[in-house]
Amino acid sequence: MQKKLNRPEVLAPAGTLEKLKVAIKYGADAVYIGGQAYGLRSRAGNFSFEEMAEGVAFAKAHHAKVYVAANMVTHEGNEKGAGEWFRTLRDIGISAVIVSDPALISICASEAPGLAIHLSTQASATNYETLQFWQKLGLERVVLAREVSMNELSEIRKHTDIEIEAFVHGAMCISYSGRCVLSNYMSLRDANRGGCSQSCRWKYDLYDLPFGQERKSIHGEIPEAFSMSAVDMSMIDHIPDMIENGVNSLKIEGRMKSIHYVSTVAMVYKKAIDAYLEGADVYEKVKQSLVDELWKVAQRELDTGFYYSTPDENKQLFGARRKIPEYKFVGEVVDYDAEAMVATIRQRNVIQEGDAIEFYGPGFRHVETIVQNLRLAENDEIIDRAPNPMTLLHIDVPFAVVPGDMIRKSGSGLINLYDKSTGVRKTVRAQA
């Protein structure tokens, strides 16, 4: 008898209320957000209680869930007020909190009963005994450490029935999950209390330091400045492994990314899940189009993290980029007049008459056209270039588009082809 496969949820980041709504519209089954306390993204657009309530109402109307990340490591006194805070989240209707610190877990469990607790990846859960430990304490889900291999994930699933959440796309930490203090040393900002300055992504130089002499940079003897940062993760090629091994939630990183990123990545992973559950052959037919779609958004180079091997130096970011997106996000549809065949769009980046653009929307809808009859929406004044973000514009569109559809400009990027062994770089313009 064929094994029945469970449908994993697509869990998308939502740094703002706008991103929350976009993520859900574009296929996310759940989103995770930050509140104004106890989180690890102090620079993200963290939610007030009022915004949380609006987000929860929107999510429920679309049969989705909202989780709140409260995954900081508490120092003495940081936990004060946590009980009331968790109770407020519960009463607002938050589906679960994502926590790593045992003190916050204990406070939430005792003072906000009924609010589900998920173990954060910051707690570094890497084996099934650890998952069993947290399950006995009443947690409903564990977010695996990003260092877990696919073989280990398979073994973990065989020995526990607790829900498993695993990262499938986004930034990787160069340090062990939840154990980095580089930012603390380099910028006096506590990475584990929401202040990470991402020191691993800075550019560093190498110096010769002869005793008693001035230091001398050896920059120039290496092709590019060095960074300790890992390339981003992408598991779009390996969705079958995630589903077959019983992962309950596929997590996308990026609460500080744009609505272009959130909409595209959520839509792609939703499409991948739907395709594989329809049939392995269906998934194989669409897989390359999904990969191509992901490369239309701004991101670093991509790899599979620790799932299939230990990353080597080729999975770190240094030297010239080998590939960059070929599209630029330029706007979103606000309205469409079917009779006049005119779209009202809210501009996000420079757009001009004659640009080749692509509209895309939920359900993996894509249509292309050329910008024609560009004009200001307020007075229909014809213009040849719109440089100011958030301006409302009119353009002629010979097919129906839907409010909320996004617009990209194609052929707007450069592809860098870089050979690290020779240090030779060739730059070519992307084709429109």
Side-chain angles (χ1 to χ4, degrees), residues 292-350:
D292 293 343
E293 188 75 9
L294 286 177
W295 273 110
K296 294 178 180 179
V297 296
Q299 58 196 342
R300 304 174 188 93
E301 294 169 36
L302 301 174
D303 207 278
T304 55
F306 287 84
Y307 279 117
Y308 299 103
S309 64
T310 299
D312 59 18
E313 69 278 6
N314 293 317
K315 296 181 181 180
Q316 287 179 252
L317 289 176
F318 62 91
R321 292 194 63 175
R322 286 163 285 184
K323 186 173 182 180
I324 64 175
E326 301 173 23
Y327 287 72
K328 180 180 288 185
F329 176 48
V330 295
E332 59 193 307
V333 176
V334 175
D335 193 19
Y336 182 71
D337 185 333
E339 184 175 349
M341 304 184 80
V342 171
T344 302
I345 66 173
R346 181 180 291 109
Q347 173 201 358
R348 296 286 182 147
N349 277 299
V350 175

Short mmCIF file of all heavy atoms in Angstrom, two decimals, residues 292-350:
data_model
loop_
_atom_site.label_atom_id
_atom_site.label_comp_id
_atom_site.label_asym_id
_atom_site.label_seq_id
_atom_site.Cartn_x
_atom_site.Cartn_y
_atom_site.Cartn_z
N ASP A 292 13.97 28.72 -11.60
CA ASP A 292 14.11 29.97 -12.36
C ASP A 292 13.34 31.11 -11.69
O ASP A 292 13.80 32.26 -11.67
CB ASP A 292 13.59 29.77 -13.79
CG ASP A 292 14.45 28.81 -14.59
OD1 ASP A 292 15.59 28.54 -14.19
OD2 ASP A 292 13.96 28.30 -15.62
N GLU A 293 12.18 30.79 -11.13
CA GLU A 293 11.37 31.81 -10.48
C GLU A 293 12.08 32.37 -9.25
O GLU A 293 12.06 33.59 -9.01
CB GLU A 293 10.02 31.22 -10.07
CG GLU A 293 9.01 32.21 -9.54
CD GLU A 293 8.39 33.07 -10.62
OE1 GLU A 293 8.60 32.79 -11.81
OE2 GLU A 293 7.70 34.04 -10.26
N LEU A 294 12.73 31.50 -8.49
CA LEU A 294 13.44 31.97 -7.30
C LEU A 294 14.57 32.92 -7.65
O LEU A 294 14.90 33.81 -6.87
CB LEU A 294 13.98 30.78 -6.51
CG LEU A 294 12.97 29.94 -5.72
CD1 LEU A 294 13.66 28.77 -5.05
CD2 LEU A 294 12.24 30.79 -4.69
N TRP A 295 15.15 32.73 -8.84
CA TRP A 295 16.26 33.59 -9.24
C TRP A 295 15.80 34.93 -9.80
O TRP A 295 16.61 35.72 -10.30
CB TRP A 295 17.17 32.88 -10.22
CG TRP A 295 18.20 32.07 -9.49
CD1 TRP A 295 18.29 30.72 -9.41
CD2 TRP A 295 19.28 32.59 -8.70
NE1 TRP A 295 19.35 30.35 -8.61
CE2 TRP A 295 19.97 31.48 -8.17
CE3 TRP A 295 19.72 33.87 -8.39
CZ2 TRP A 295 21.08 31.63 -7.34
CZ3 TRP A 295 20.82 34.02 -7.57
CH2 TRP A 295 21.49 32.90 -7.05
N LYS A 296 14.53 35.21 -9.69
CA LYS A 296 14.02 36.52 -10.08
C LYS A 296 13.98 37.50 -8.90
O LYS A 296 13.63 38.66 -9.08
CB LYS A 296 12.61 36.39 -10.68
CG LYS A 296 12.59 35.63 -12.01
CD LYS A 296 11.16 35.50 -12.53
CE LYS A 296 11.12 34.74 -13.85
NZ LYS A 296 9.73 34.57 -14.35
N VAL A 297 14.31 37.02 -7.72
CA VAL A 297 14.29 37.90 -6.54
C VAL A 297 15.71 38.09 -6.01
O VAL A 297 16.58 37.25 -6.20
CB VAL A 297 13.39 37.34 -5.41
CG1 VAL A 297 11.95 37.29 -5.86
CG2 VAL A 297 13.86 35.97 -4.95
N ALA A 298 15.92 39.22 -5.34
CA ALA A 298 17.24 39.55 -4.80
C ALA A 298 17.59 38.60 -3.66
O ALA A 298 16.84 38.46 -2.70
CB ALA A 298 17.25 40.99 -4.30
N GLN A 299 18.73 37.94 -3.79
CA GLN A 299 19.21 37.04 -2.75
C GLN A 299 20.67 36.71 -3.02
O GLN A 299 21.23 37.10 -4.04
CB GLN A 299 18.38 35.75 -2.74
CG GLN A 299 18.40 34.99 -4.06
CD GLN A 299 17.28 33.97 -4.13
OE1 GLN A 299 16.70 33.59 -3.13
NE2 GLN A 299 16.97 33.53 -5.33
N ARG A 300 21.28 36.03 -2.08
CA ARG A 300 22.66 35.61 -2.27
C ARG A 300 22.69 34.32 -3.10
O ARG A 300 21.66 33.83 -3.53
CB ARG A 300 23.32 35.38 -0.90
CG ARG A 300 23.24 36.60 0.01
CD ARG A 300 23.77 36.30 1.40
NE ARG A 300 23.50 37.41 2.30
CZ ARG A 300 22.43 37.51 3.08
NH1 ARG A 300 21.51 36.54 3.08
NH2 ARG A 300 22.25 38.55 3.85
N GLU A 301 23.88 33.79 -3.31
CA GLU A 301 23.97 32.51 -3.98
C GLU A 301 23.28 31.44 -3.13
O GLU A 301 23.10 31.60 -1.93
CB GLU A 301 25.43 32.15 -4.22
CG GLU A 301 26.11 33.10 -5.20
CD GLU A 301 27.60 32.92 -5.25
OE1 GLU A 301 28.05 31.76 -5.14
OE2 GLU A 301 28.32 33.92 -5.39
N LEU A 302 22.93 30.32 -3.75
CA LEU A 302 22.08 29.32 -3.09
C LEU A 302 22.75 27.96 -3.04
O LEU A 302 23.46 27.55 -3.96
CB LEU A 302 20.74 29.20 -3.83
CG LEU A 302 19.90 30.48 -3.92
CD1 LEU A 302 18.67 30.25 -4.79
CD2 LEU A 302 19.49 30.95 -2.54
N ASP A 303 22.47 27.24 -1.95
CA ASP A 303 22.94 25.87 -1.81
C ASP A 303 22.01 25.17 -0.82
O ASP A 303 20.99 25.74 -0.41
CB ASP A 303 24.39 25.84 -1.35
CG ASP A 303 25.09 24.56 -1.80
OD1 ASP A 303 24.94 23.53 -1.11
OD2 ASP A 303 25.79 24.60 -2.83
N THR A 304 22.37 23.95 -0.41
CA THR A 304 21.47 23.16 0.43
C THR A 304 21.91 23.08 1.90
O THR A 304 21.47 22.21 2.64
CB THR A 304 21.35 21.72 -0.13
OG1 THR A 304 22.65 21.14 -0.26
CG2 THR A 304 20.67 21.74 -1.48
N GLY A 305 22.78 23.99 2.30
CA GLY A 305 23.17 24.01 3.71
C GLY A 305 23.85 22.72 4.14
O GLY A 305 24.73 22.20 3.45
N PHE A 306 23.41 22.19 5.29
CA PHE A 306 24.01 20.98 5.85
C PHE A 306 23.23 19.71 5.49
O PHE A 306 23.59 18.63 5.94
CB PHE A 306 24.07 21.08 7.39
CG PHE A 306 25.12 22.02 7.90
CD1 PHE A 306 24.87 23.38 7.98
CD2 PHE A 306 26.36 21.55 8.29
CE1 PHE A 306 25.83 24.26 8.46
CE2 PHE A 306 27.33 22.42 8.77
CZ PHE A 306 27.07 23.78 8.86
N TYR A 307 22.17 19.84 4.70
CA TYR A 307 21.30 18.68 4.48
C TYR A 307 22.02 17.49 3.83
O TYR A 307 21.73 16.34 4.16
CB TYR A 307 20.10 19.07 3.63
CG TYR A 307 19.00 19.74 4.43
CD1 TYR A 307 18.62 21.06 4.16
CD2 TYR A 307 18.35 19.06 5.45
CE1 TYR A 307 17.61 21.68 4.88
CE2 TYR A 307 17.34 19.67 6.19
CZ TYR A 307 16.97 20.97 5.90
OH TYR A 307 15.98 21.58 6.62
N TYR A 308 22.94 17.74 2.92
CA TYR A 308 23.54 16.64 2.17
C TYR A 308 25.06 16.53 2.33
O TYR A 308 25.65 15.54 1.92
CB TYR A 308 23.19 16.76 0.69
CG TYR A 308 21.70 16.70 0.46
CD1 TYR A 308 20.97 17.85 0.21
CD2 TYR A 308 21.01 15.49 0.56
CE1 TYR A 308 19.59 17.81 0.04
CE2 TYR A 308 19.64 15.43 0.41
CZ TYR A 308 18.93 16.59 0.15
OH TYR A 308 17.57 16.55 -0.01
N SER A 309 25.68 17.52 2.93
CA SER A 309 27.13 17.47 3.18
C SER A 309 27.49 18.63 4.09
O SER A 309 26.70 19.55 4.29
CB SER A 309 27.91 17.58 1.86
OG SER A 309 27.68 18.83 1.25
N THR A 310 28.70 18.57 4.62
CA THR A 310 29.18 19.69 5.41
C THR A 310 29.67 20.77 4.45
O THR A 310 30.51 20.50 3.60
CB THR A 310 30.34 19.25 6.33
OG1 THR A 310 29.87 18.23 7.22
CG2 THR A 310 30.87 20.43 7.13
N PRO A 311 29.14 21.97 4.56
CA PRO A 311 29.54 23.03 3.61
C PRO A 311 31.04 23.30 3.65
O PRO A 311 31.66 23.33 4.72
CB PRO A 311 28.75 24.25 4.11
CG PRO A 311 27.59 23.67 4.85
CD PRO A 311 28.10 22.42 5.50
N ASP A 312 31.63 23.49 2.46
CA ASP A 312 33.05 23.81 2.37
C ASP A 312 33.22 25.28 2.00
O ASP A 312 32.27 26.06 2.03
CB ASP A 312 33.76 22.89 1.37
CG ASP A 312 33.15 23.00 -0.04
OD1 ASP A 312 32.44 23.99 -0.32
OD2 ASP A 312 33.38 22.09 -0.85
N GLU A 313 34.45 25.67 1.62
CA GLU A 313 34.71 27.08 1.33
C GLU A 313 33.93 27.60 0.12
O GLU A 313 33.70 28.81 -0.02
CB GLU A 313 36.22 27.31 1.10
CG GLU A 313 36.79 26.72 -0.16
CD GLU A 313 37.13 25.23 -0.02
OE1 GLU A 313 36.82 24.64 1.03
OE2 GLU A 313 37.71 24.67 -0.98
N ASN A 314 33.49 26.70 -0.75
CA ASN A 314 32.71 27.12 -1.91
C ASN A 314 31.26 27.45 -1.56
O ASN A 314 30.50 27.90 -2.41
CB ASN A 314 32.74 26.03 -2.99
CG ASN A 314 34.12 25.86 -3.57
OD1 ASN A 314 34.81 26.84 -3.85
ND2 ASN A 314 34.55 24.62 -3.74
N LYS A 315 30.91 27.20 -0.30
CA LYS A 315 29.56 27.54 0.16
C LYS A 315 29.60 28.72 1.13
O LYS A 315 28.73 28.89 1.96
CB LYS A 315 28.90 26.32 0.79
CG LYS A 315 28.68 25.19 -0.23
CD LYS A 315 28.01 23.99 0.37
CE LYS A 315 27.84 22.88 -0.68
NZ LYS A 315 27.18 21.68 -0.13
N GLN A 316 30.65 29.52 0.98
CA GLN A 316 30.75 30.77 1.72
C GLN A 316 30.76 31.93 0.72
O GLN A 316 31.06 31.75 -0.47
CB GLN A 316 32.04 30.81 2.55
CG GLN A 316 32.02 29.91 3.76
CD GLN A 316 33.31 29.97 4.53
OE1 GLN A 316 34.11 29.04 4.52
NE2 GLN A 316 33.54 31.08 5.21
N LEU A 317 30.41 33.10 1.22
CA LEU A 317 30.34 34.28 0.37
C LEU A 317 31.66 35.05 0.41
O LEU A 317 31.97 35.69 1.41
CB LEU A 317 29.20 35.20 0.82
CG LEU A 317 27.79 34.70 0.55
CD1 LEU A 317 26.79 35.68 1.14
CD2 LEU A 317 27.54 34.53 -0.94
N PHE A 318 32.42 34.94 -0.65
CA PHE A 318 33.58 35.81 -0.83
C PHE A 318 33.91 35.81 -2.31
O PHE A 318 33.53 34.91 -3.05
CB PHE A 318 34.77 35.37 0.02
CG PHE A 318 35.30 34.00 -0.29
CD1 PHE A 318 36.30 33.82 -1.22
CD2 PHE A 318 34.78 32.89 0.35
CE1 PHE A 318 36.79 32.55 -1.50
CE2 PHE A 318 35.25 31.62 0.08
CZ PHE A 318 36.26 31.44 -0.86
N GLY A 319 34.57 36.85 -2.75
CA GLY A 319 34.81 36.99 -4.18
C GLY A 319 33.57 37.55 -4.87
O GLY A 319 32.56 37.87 -4.24
N ALA A 320 33.67 37.68 -6.17
CA ALA A 320 32.55 38.22 -6.95
C ALA A 320 31.40 37.23 -6.99
O ALA A 320 31.60 36.03 -6.95
CB ALA A 320 33.01 38.54 -8.37
N ARG A 321 30.21 37.75 -7.08
CA ARG A 321 29.03 36.89 -7.14
C ARG A 321 29.00 36.13 -8.46
O ARG A 321 29.28 36.68 -9.51
CB ARG A 321 27.76 37.72 -7.00
CG ARG A 321 27.60 38.31 -5.62
CD ARG A 321 26.19 38.82 -5.42
NE ARG A 321 25.23 37.73 -5.49
CZ ARG A 321 23.93 37.88 -5.25
NH1 ARG A 321 23.46 39.05 -4.94
NH2 ARG A 321 23.11 36.86 -5.33
N ARG A 322 28.64 34.86 -8.38
CA ARG A 322 28.57 34.04 -9.58
C ARG A 322 27.24 34.18 -10.30
O ARG A 322 27.12 33.89 -11.46
CB ARG A 322 28.80 32.57 -9.20
CG ARG A 322 30.25 32.27 -8.88
CD ARG A 322 30.42 30.96 -8.12
NE ARG A 322 29.99 31.12 -6.72
CZ ARG A 322 30.10 30.16 -5.82
NH1 ARG A 322 30.58 28.99 -6.14
NH2 ARG A 322 29.71 30.38 -4.58
N LYS A 323 26.23 34.63 -9.58
CA LYS A 323 24.93 34.80 -10.21
C LYS A 323 24.12 35.83 -9.44
O LYS A 323 24.15 35.84 -8.21
CB LYS A 323 24.18 33.46 -10.25
CG LYS A 323 22.87 33.50 -11.02
CD LYS A 323 22.28 32.10 -11.15
CE LYS A 323 21.00 32.12 -11.97
NZ LYS A 323 20.40 30.78 -12.13
N ILE A 324 23.40 36.69 -10.15
CA ILE A 324 22.51 37.64 -9.51
C ILE A 324 21.19 37.64 -10.26
O ILE A 324 21.11 37.22 -11.42
CB ILE A 324 23.10 39.06 -9.46
CG1 ILE A 324 23.29 39.61 -10.88
CG2 ILE A 324 24.39 39.09 -8.69
CD1 ILE A 324 23.75 41.04 -10.90
N PRO A 325 20.10 38.10 -9.62
CA PRO A 325 18.79 38.09 -10.27
C PRO A 325 18.78 38.93 -11.55
O PRO A 325 19.50 39.92 -11.67
CB PRO A 325 17.87 38.67 -9.21
CG PRO A 325 18.56 38.41 -7.93
CD PRO A 325 20.03 38.53 -8.22
N GLU A 326 17.94 38.53 -12.48
CA GLU A 326 17.82 39.22 -13.75
C GLU A 326 16.61 40.15 -13.79
O GLU A 326 16.35 40.77 -14.82
CB GLU A 326 17.71 38.19 -14.88
CG GLU A 326 18.90 37.25 -14.96
CD GLU A 326 18.69 36.13 -15.97
OE1 GLU A 326 17.87 36.32 -16.89
OE2 GLU A 326 19.31 35.08 -15.83
N TYR A 327 15.87 40.21 -12.70
CA TYR A 327 14.67 41.03 -12.65
C TYR A 327 14.74 42.01 -11.49
O TYR A 327 15.42 41.76 -10.49
CB TYR A 327 13.42 40.15 -12.47
CG TYR A 327 13.01 39.38 -13.69
CD1 TYR A 327 13.74 38.28 -14.13
CD2 TYR A 327 11.86 39.73 -14.42
CE1 TYR A 327 13.36 37.56 -15.25
CE2 TYR A 327 11.47 39.01 -15.53
CZ TYR A 327 12.22 37.93 -15.95
OH TYR A 327 11.85 37.23 -17.06
N LYS A 328 13.99 43.11 -11.63
CA LYS A 328 13.88 44.08 -10.55
C LYS A 328 12.40 44.33 -10.26
O LYS A 328 11.59 44.50 -11.18
CB LYS A 328 14.55 45.39 -10.94
CG LYS A 328 14.48 46.47 -9.85
CD LYS A 328 15.15 47.75 -10.30
CE LYS A 328 16.65 47.58 -10.33
NZ LYS A 328 17.34 48.85 -10.65
N PHE A 329 12.06 44.32 -8.99
CA PHE A 329 10.69 44.58 -8.57
C PHE A 329 10.37 46.06 -8.79
O PHE A 329 11.09 46.93 -8.30
CB PHE A 329 10.56 44.22 -7.08
CG PHE A 329 9.22 44.52 -6.47
CD1 PHE A 329 8.06 44.14 -7.10
CD2 PHE A 329 9.14 45.17 -5.25
CE1 PHE A 329 6.82 44.40 -6.52
CE2 PHE A 329 7.93 45.43 -4.65
CZ PHE A 329 6.75 45.05 -5.30
N VAL A 330 9.29 46.35 -9.53
CA VAL A 330 9.00 47.75 -9.84
C VAL A 330 7.62 48.22 -9.39
O VAL A 330 7.35 49.42 -9.40
CB VAL A 330 9.15 48.03 -11.36
CG1 VAL A 330 10.59 47.87 -11.79
CG2 VAL A 330 8.21 47.16 -12.19
N GLY A 331 6.72 47.32 -9.00
CA GLY A 331 5.42 47.82 -8.57
C GLY A 331 4.42 46.73 -8.29
O GLY A 331 4.71 45.54 -8.40
N GLU A 332 3.21 47.17 -7.93
CA GLU A 332 2.11 46.25 -7.65
C GLU A 332 0.81 46.84 -8.19
O GLU A 332 0.66 48.06 -8.28
CB GLU A 332 2.01 45.99 -6.15
CG GLU A 332 1.77 47.27 -5.35
CD GLU A 332 1.98 47.08 -3.87
OE1 GLU A 332 1.36 46.16 -3.32
OE2 GLU A 332 2.73 47.88 -3.28
N VAL A 333 -0.09 45.96 -8.53
CA VAL A 333 -1.37 46.39 -9.09
C VAL A 333 -2.30 46.85 -7.98
O VAL A 333 -2.48 46.15 -6.98
CB VAL A 333 -2.03 45.26 -9.90
CG1 VAL A 333 -3.41 45.69 -10.40
CG2 VAL A 333 -1.13 44.86 -11.07
N VAL A 334 -2.88 48.02 -8.14
CA VAL A 334 -3.85 48.55 -7.19
C VAL A 334 -5.27 48.36 -7.72
O VAL A 334 -6.20 48.06 -6.97
CB VAL A 334 -3.58 50.05 -6.93
CG1 VAL A 334 -4.67 50.66 -6.04
CG2 VAL A 334 -2.21 50.24 -6.30
N ASP A 335 -5.44 48.51 -9.04
CA ASP A 335 -6.77 48.39 -9.63
C ASP A 335 -6.62 48.08 -11.12
O ASP A 335 -5.55 48.31 -11.71
CB ASP A 335 -7.55 49.69 -9.44
CG ASP A 335 -9.04 49.54 -9.75
OD1 ASP A 335 -9.53 48.39 -9.76
OD2 ASP A 335 -9.70 50.56 -9.99
N TYR A 336 -7.69 47.52 -11.70
CA TYR A 336 -7.68 47.28 -13.14
C TYR A 336 -9.05 47.61 -13.72
O TYR A 336 -10.07 47.11 -13.24
CB TYR A 336 -7.33 45.83 -13.46
CG TYR A 336 -7.27 45.54 -14.95
CD1 TYR A 336 -6.24 46.06 -15.73
CD2 TYR A 336 -8.26 44.79 -15.57
CE1 TYR A 336 -6.18 45.83 -17.09
CE2 TYR A 336 -8.20 44.55 -16.93
CZ TYR A 336 -7.16 45.08 -17.69
OH TYR A 336 -7.11 44.85 -19.05
N ASP A 337 -9.06 48.46 -14.74
CA ASP A 337 -10.28 48.83 -15.46
C ASP A 337 -10.37 47.94 -16.68
O ASP A 337 -9.67 48.16 -17.68
CB ASP A 337 -10.22 50.31 -15.85
CG ASP A 337 -11.51 50.81 -16.50
OD1 ASP A 337 -12.23 49.99 -17.10
OD2 ASP A 337 -11.78 52.02 -16.41
N ALA A 338 -11.23 46.93 -16.61
CA ALA A 338 -11.32 45.95 -17.69
C ALA A 338 -11.83 46.56 -18.99
O ALA A 338 -11.42 46.16 -20.08
CB ALA A 338 -12.22 44.78 -17.27
N GLU A 339 -12.73 47.54 -18.87
CA GLU A 339 -13.30 48.15 -20.07
C GLU A 339 -12.25 48.99 -20.81
O GLU A 339 -12.10 48.90 -22.02
CB GLU A 339 -14.50 49.02 -19.70
CG GLU A 339 -15.22 49.62 -20.90
CD GLU A 339 -16.48 50.38 -20.51
OE1 GLU A 339 -16.90 50.26 -19.33
OE2 GLU A 339 -17.02 51.09 -21.36
N ALA A 340 -11.50 49.79 -20.06
CA ALA A 340 -10.48 50.64 -20.66
C ALA A 340 -9.16 49.91 -20.84
O ALA A 340 -8.26 50.40 -21.55
CB ALA A 340 -10.26 51.88 -19.81
N MET A 341 -9.03 48.72 -20.21
CA MET A 341 -7.80 47.92 -20.23
C MET A 341 -6.62 48.75 -19.71
O MET A 341 -5.56 48.84 -20.32
CB MET A 341 -7.52 47.38 -21.64
CG MET A 341 -8.67 46.56 -22.20
SD MET A 341 -8.33 45.81 -23.80
CE MET A 341 -7.36 44.39 -23.33
N VAL A 342 -6.85 49.35 -18.54
CA VAL A 342 -5.85 50.19 -17.89
C VAL A 342 -5.62 49.71 -16.47
O VAL A 342 -6.59 49.50 -15.72
CB VAL A 342 -6.29 51.68 -17.88
CG1 VAL A 342 -5.34 52.51 -17.02
CG2 VAL A 342 -6.34 52.23 -19.30
N ALA A 343 -4.37 49.53 -16.10
CA ALA A 343 -4.02 49.13 -14.74
C ALA A 343 -3.52 50.34 -13.97
O ALA A 343 -2.74 51.15 -14.48
CB ALA A 343 -2.95 48.05 -14.76
N THR A 344 -3.99 50.45 -12.72
CA THR A 344 -3.42 51.42 -11.79
C THR A 344 -2.39 50.68 -10.95
O THR A 344 -2.71 49.65 -10.34
CB THR A 344 -4.49 52.03 -10.87
OG1 THR A 344 -5.50 52.64 -11.68
CG2 THR A 344 -3.90 53.06 -9.93
N ILE A 345 -1.17 51.18 -10.95
CA ILE A 345 -0.11 50.49 -10.21
C ILE A 345 0.56 51.44 -9.22
O ILE A 345 0.60 52.65 -9.42
CB ILE A 345 0.95 49.90 -11.16
CG1 ILE A 345 1.72 51.01 -11.89
CG2 ILE A 345 0.32 48.95 -12.16
CD1 ILE A 345 2.88 50.50 -12.71
N ARG A 346 1.03 50.85 -8.12
CA ARG A 346 1.82 51.61 -7.14
C ARG A 346 3.28 51.27 -7.41
O ARG A 346 3.71 50.13 -7.27
CB ARG A 346 1.44 51.25 -5.72
CG ARG A 346 2.23 52.02 -4.65
CD ARG A 346 1.84 51.65 -3.25
NE ARG A 346 0.50 52.11 -2.91
CZ ARG A 346 -0.55 51.31 -2.75
NH1 ARG A 346 -0.42 50.00 -2.91
NH2 ARG A 346 -1.73 51.80 -2.44
N GLN A 347 4.03 52.26 -7.81
CA GLN A 347 5.41 52.07 -8.19
C GLN A 347 6.30 51.81 -6.98
O GLN A 347 6.11 52.41 -5.92
CB GLN A 347 5.89 53.30 -8.95
CG GLN A 347 7.35 53.32 -9.28
CD GLN A 347 7.83 54.73 -9.53
OE1 GLN A 347 7.05 55.66 -9.50
NE2 GLN A 347 9.12 54.89 -9.77
N ARG A 348 7.29 50.93 -7.13
CA ARG A 348 8.26 50.66 -6.07
C ARG A 348 9.69 51.00 -6.49
O ARG A 348 10.52 51.31 -5.65
CB ARG A 348 8.18 49.18 -5.66
CG ARG A 348 6.85 48.76 -5.05
CD ARG A 348 6.70 49.27 -3.64
NE ARG A 348 5.46 48.84 -3.04
CZ ARG A 348 5.30 48.57 -1.75
NH1 ARG A 348 6.30 48.70 -0.92
NH2 ARG A 348 4.12 48.19 -1.28
N ASN A 349 9.99 50.85 -7.79
CA ASN A 349 11.29 51.23 -8.33
C ASN A 349 11.09 51.92 -9.66
O ASN A 349 9.96 51.96 -10.18
CB ASN A 349 12.19 49.99 -8.49
CG ASN A 349 12.87 49.59 -7.20
OD1 ASN A 349 13.64 50.36 -6.63
ND2 ASN A 349 12.59 48.39 -6.73
N VAL A 350 12.16 52.44 -10.24
CA VAL A 350 12.06 53.19 -11.48
C VAL A 350 11.43 52.34 -12.58
O VAL A 350 11.82 51.18 -12.80
CB VAL A 350 13.45 53.67 -11.94
CG1 VAL A 350 13.34 54.35 -13.31
CG2 VAL A 350 14.04 54.62 -10.92
#
